[in-house]
Amino acid sequence: MINQIADPLLALPRPAKRLLALGVDALLCLLTVWLALCLRLDNWVIPQGNQWLAMGLSLVLALPVFVVSGLYRAIFRYAGMAALMAVTKAIVLYGLLYAALLAVLVLPGVPRTLGLLQPPLLLLAVGASRAVARYWLSGGYLSRLKRNALPKVLIYGAGSAGNQLAAAMANSNEMRAVGFLDDDTRLHGNVLNGLNIYNPSQLHDLVQSLEVSDVLLAIPSTSRQRRNEILELTRQAHVAVRTLPGLMDLAQGHVHASDLRELDIEDLLGRDAVPPNASLFAKNIHGKVVLVTGAGGSIGSELCRQIIKAGPTKLLLVELSEFALYAVHQDLMKLLVDMEPSNLQLLPLLASVRDEARMREIMQTWKPHTVYHAAAYKHVPMVEHNPAEGVKNNVLGTWTTAKVAAENGVSDFVLISTDKAVRPTNVMGTSKRLAEMVLQAFAAASKELGWRTRFGMVRFGNVLGSSGSVVPLFRKQIRDNGPITLTHADITRYFMTIPEAAQLVIQAGAMTSGGDVFVLDMGEPVRIIDLARRMVELSGLTVRDDAKPDGDIAIQITGLRPGEKLYEELLIGDNPLPTQHPRIMKAHEDFVPWYELSSRLQVLIAALNANDVPAIRGLLKELVPGYQPDGAVVDWVYLAAEQENLNLPVLKAAYSPAQLLVA
């Protein structure tokens, strides 16, 4: 309430403030003369006759003295000891003049001692008024200055969420709302919570006139298509964008300013997610024991979160990294606390998918019904520099885990694959395609081997927010004022959110009849340079290039890394078959029969154990049609040994042929 009174006073021009101070002092003069009369006469009196003249004399003397003494040149909110001394000197001078004048005039009805009583009272009153002004106005003024200096924002959405957000921001020390934008034409020109509601088409002009730095999206229930249209509008207006969580995240409580977060990149790229098919989602999970390898990774951990929702009895978390296993276990335990009471048992298990004995021990103990195999080395340049380890983990790890799963009666085994497996130019993609071929061969030979396991593969592109994703890298580079580093101006990629990818993996796995390669509908591929530009512009900044040399953030082209492709594909062949889910297709991919593939893999294993990288690349070319290595060998160990003319010893095989052969 006090600040509401102070704000209009502080907003007055300086002459008006001086007149106001003069008026207050005049009132104090009258008040103290009356109070002095009451004290002298020892009674509450109503001024009469010459007593009014005494009051007038006080005004005539005091105000000119105060003006000449410079009392109204001081800024009251900063008034200190010096100002108080000036007030004291002025009132002492006034007091001498006033007392002398009353003594000379000898006004009937006016005690001469009034000239001695009133000046001290006036000193107390004026001094107190200055102290109150300092205490009251300094805080209000500083608060006003601070608030005026806050970034000014517009709230997009004048509905319930926007209204709550504006109310929450009233006391925010981070930003200040100066208006609403809303698509409803009936609201334009109205006022909500003291803020005008504007037409979104005015955004560009409003950014200039209101000095807006950010637009806050308070439209949690809008469609992704409309959100993208709004983001394009804000991008052209060169303002930063922040958003509230989705509708379901807000359902449990009120909107707070702290709920605002950086714009999720899926808001820029994605489509409206298709709700999961409940029967498919629960088919291989509900009431069953489920195992996830690579449970601590970006895809593996999200798979675990989605699996928990479907109600398994046990969830086995298999992970090689101790820290990653600890982190995902803690995360899932927190999720369980917020869910309805259940008997779900979470089991964090340290293991390598290449360790056959350990994987057999785990599967014999808990007899999982479904296995989601997400464990893989997936960073293209890293695997290119360490090819033998990449192939061992991605191919032999899949081989070992799938074989042990089948021998222990697992009903469904689902491999998480990648679009980089299609016509690969790098070892990582080739190893994932070879892992697919192992499962395809297993599926075809299942009857001969006496297995009942259904093997399925799900292939998709980049997921937003995964380890190695460009999105967090670009975001960090923008915060650091650039430059944004990009390997090639024409590079394109498919993108999907991690939750949507995990849900589709689960549903695709439930549709497999054995040996199926499922492909997720990733939408349209995105040019990474366009993504970088949009991220810069939606941060309220501009890209520095030839057309705008004074821009904020530069984009630096660094050149393609080893094994990196300009674009990715999802299908090797053509004409994918539809499935019962609109976002999942079934591909027809050729493979090598197991009896032939197994013997050729033995030769690959020998090359892997010797780290004979040229031989490894040659064997991968023979095994995986379409693999075209891009560039020379870049394996660190191989290059160092070659430079030093070292003969590397053949490493002892981690797996013997007897262990690997199942046919």
Side-chain angles (χ1 to χ4, degrees):
M1 180 64 182
I2 291 177
N3 286 338
Q4 290 177 351
I5 299 173
D7 282 349
L9 294 179
L10 293 168
L12 291 173
R14 185 164 298 278
K17 292 177 183 176
R18 288 175 175 171
L19 285 175
L20 180 62
L22 192 69
V24 170
D25 287 347
L27 182 63
L28 292 177
C29 285
L30 298 176
L31 183 64
T32 53
V33 170
W34 170 75
L35 186 58
L37 278 172
C38 293
L39 290 173
R40 174 65 182 79
L41 301 176
D42 197 24
N43 191 18
W44 297 108
V45 298
I46 298 175
Q48 298 177 7
N50 289 330
Q51 294 172 348
W52 285 111
L53 180 59
M55 289 184 173
L57 287 173
S58 175
L59 290 178
V60 170
L61 288 174
L63 296 183
V65 169
F66 288 178
V67 171
V68 171
S69 299
L71 298 193
Y72 304 112
R73 291 197 297 269
I75 301 175
F76 291 174
R77 61 178 178 275
Y78 297 139
M81 186 57 67
L84 183 59
M85 290 303 298
V87 169
T88 303
K89 291 177 182 178
I91 292 181
V92 167
L93 176 60
Y94 154 78
L96 293 173
L97 294 174
Y98 190 52
L101 190 60
L102 289 181
V104 170
L105 292 177
V106 188
L107 299 173
V110 178
R112 285 175 290 178
T113 52
L114 182 66
L116 300 176
L117 289 175
Q118 189 262 347
L121 293 176
L122 182 60
L123 176 62
L124 290 175
V126 173
S129 71
R130 299 305 191 263
V132 169
R134 173 184 169 86
Y135 178 79
W136 174 35
L137 296 180
S138 64
Y141 187 74
L142 291 175
S143 174
R144 180 184 177 88
L145 281 179
K146 185 176 180 181
R147 186 151 182 80
N148 285 342
L150 293 177
K152 298 175 183 177
V153 302
L154 288 168
I155 299 174
Y156 204 116
S160 175
N163 190 16
Q164 291 182 49
L165 178 58
M169 290 179 62
N171 299 316
S172 172
N173 293 321
E174 296 181 7
M175 59 190 74
R176 179 163 66 100
V178 293
F180 289 96
L181 299 169
D182 201 276
D183 295 330
D184 190 343
T185 56
R186 296 171 298 178
L187 299 178
H188 297 164
N190 292 332
V191 176
L192 177 64
N193 275 343
L195 301 175
N196 292 326
I197 303 176
Y198 300 102
N199 189 326
S201 63
Q202 299 175 270
L203 177 59
H204 190 276
D205 295 332
L206 292 171
V207 168
Q208 304 298 323
S209 61
L210 299 179
E211 299 179 345
V212 173
S213 63
D214 293 72
V215 171
L216 311 181
L217 301 185
I219 43 175
S221 60
T222 193
S223 69
R224 183 64 53 79
Q225 179 181 356
R226 179 55 190 154
R227 184 181 289 258
N228 285 340
E229 293 171 355
I230 293 170
L231 292 176
E232 181 62 22
L233 177 67
T234 56
R235 184 179 70 86
Q236 293 175 1
H238 301 296
V239 287
V241 182
R242 286 205 265 177
T243 183
L244 285 170
L247 188 61
M248 294 306 297
D249 296 324
L250 300 177
Q252 301 302 319
H254 296 290
V255 177
H256 303 285
S258 58
D259 292 325
L260 289 165
R261 51 175 168 74
E262 279 190 276
L263 190 70
D264 282 337
I265 204 64
E266 52 261 39
D267 292 324
L268 307 180
L269 303 173
R271 314 134 301 178
D272 289 317
V274 175
N277 182 313
S279 60
L280 286 176
F281 194 74
K283 179 181 176 183
N284 290 342
I285 297 174
H286 185 71
K288 296 178 171 63
V289 178
V290 180
L291 184 150
V292 178
T293 69
S298 50
I299 286 293
S301 59
E302 184 61 32
L303 274 171
C304 293
R305 294 184 193 97
Q306 299 293 338
I307 287 168
I308 283 178
K309 297 177 183 178
T313 56
K314 292 184 179 68
L315 178 55
L316 313 179
L317 314 173
V318 175
E319 174 59 55
L320 180 61
S321 165
E322 179 189 31
F323 176 75
L325 183 61
Y326 169 80
V328 70
H329 183 246
Q330 293 298 308
D331 185 38
L332 296 176
M333 290 297 291
K334 290 178 183 177
L335 286 180
L336 285 180
V337 171
D338 298 332
M339 295 174 63
E340 295 180 3
S342 69
N343 296 321
L344 172 60
Q345 186 177 3
L346 288 176
L347 297 165
L349 302 166
L350 284 169
S352 167
V353 293
R354 291 162 55 185
D355 186 342
E356 182 174 343
R358 175 63 170 162
M359 295 306 297
R360 178 171 282 108
E361 180 181 62
I362 290 171
M363 294 197 196
Q364 284 179 344
T365 302
W366 285 285
K367 299 291 183 184
H369 177 278
T370 305
V371 172
Y372 294 98
H373 183 54
Y377 291 149
K378 59 183 181 179
H379 193 273
V380 170
M382 195 66 70
V383 173
E384 206 67 20
H385 288 298
N386 302 272
E389 287 303 305
V391 174
K392 287 178 183 178
N393 192 68
N394 294 354
V395 179
L396 303 187
T398 300
W399 182 351
T400 299
T401 306
K403 178 168 74 74
V404 172
E407 291 172 349
N408 284 276
V410 169
S411 296
D412 292 277
F413 186 99
V414 181
L415 168 68
I416 313 304
S417 192
T418 172
D419 59 354
K420 294 174 178 61
V422 179
R423 283 179 274 277
T425 60
N426 52 70
V427 175
M428 194 284 284
T430 307
S431 67
K432 293 298 286 184
R433 175 57 191 143
L434 190 51
E436 290 180 358
M437 292 171 65
V438 168
L439 293 193
Q440 287 179 290
F442 275 180
S446 288
K447 289 184 180 180
E448 300 172 22
L449 298 169
W451 294 343
R452 296 184 178 179
T453 303
R454 290 183 291 268
F455 296 99
M457 295 132 273
V458 185
R459 188 187 292 163
F460 54 91
N462 298 272
V463 287
L464 298 166
S466 67
S467 58
S469 170
V470 297
V471 173
L473 173 63
F474 286 175
R475 190 167 280 155
K476 180 180 183 301
Q477 290 173 334
I478 291 170
R479 283 198 299 265
D480 295 341
N481 298 317
I484 289 179
T485 55
L486 187 64
T487 58
H488 196 284
D490 295 326
I491 198 165
T492 64
R493 290 292 182 266
Y494 290 97
F495 286 96
M496 178 176 282
T497 66
I498 295 179
E500 185 180 11
Q503 290 175 4
L504 292 175
V505 164
I506 292 171
Q507 294 171 87
M511 291 190 286
T512 187
S513 57
D516 300 307
V517 178
F518 293 101
V519 178
L520 304 186
D521 177 7
M522 302 288 293
E524 294 298 320
V526 176
R527 292 179 77 231
I528 304 300
I529 194 169
D530 293 339
L531 168 61
R533 285 181 175 276
R534 294 192 75 186
M535 290 183 67
V536 170
E537 291 165 353
L538 287 168
S539 297
L541 304 172
T542 56
V543 175
R544 188 188 313 146
D545 52 21
D546 294 339
K548 191 172 290 187
D550 58 344
D552 302 300
I553 305 291
I555 296 179
Q556 180 180 333
I557 306 299
T558 60
L560 289 173
R561 298 171 295 180
E564 191 171 26
K565 295 173 69 174
L566 280 180
Y567 61 93
E568 303 291 356
E569 303 168 89
L570 290 167
L571 294 169
I572 298 174
D574 296 318
N575 302 319
L577 299 174
T579 66
Q580 60 193 92
H581 195 289
R583 292 279 168 82
I584 302 173
M585 301 173 289
K586 187 188 294 186
H588 174 75
E589 310 288 25
D590 295 328
F591 64 95
V592 179
W594 178 243
Y595 69 87
E596 181 182 343
L597 182 62
S598 60
S599 60
R600 295 168 68 180
L601 286 174
Q602 299 306 317
V603 182
L604 176 62
I605 291 169
L608 291 171
N609 289 334
N611 199 40
D612 188 344
V613 181
I616 293 171
R617 284 161 56 114
L619 289 166
L620 290 176
K621 276 188 77 171
E622 293 180 11
L623 285 165
V624 179
Y627 171 47
Q628 295 294 328
D630 185 12
V633 172
V634 292
D635 178 83
W636 299 123
V637 176
Y638 181 86
L639 292 177
E642 189 178 58
Q643 186 175 3
E644 298 295 331
N645 295 318
L646 298 177
N647 292 318
L648 290 177
V650 176
L651 301 178
K652 182 179 178 182
Y655 303 88
S656 69
Q659 289 175 308
L660 290 169
L661 284 172
V662 295

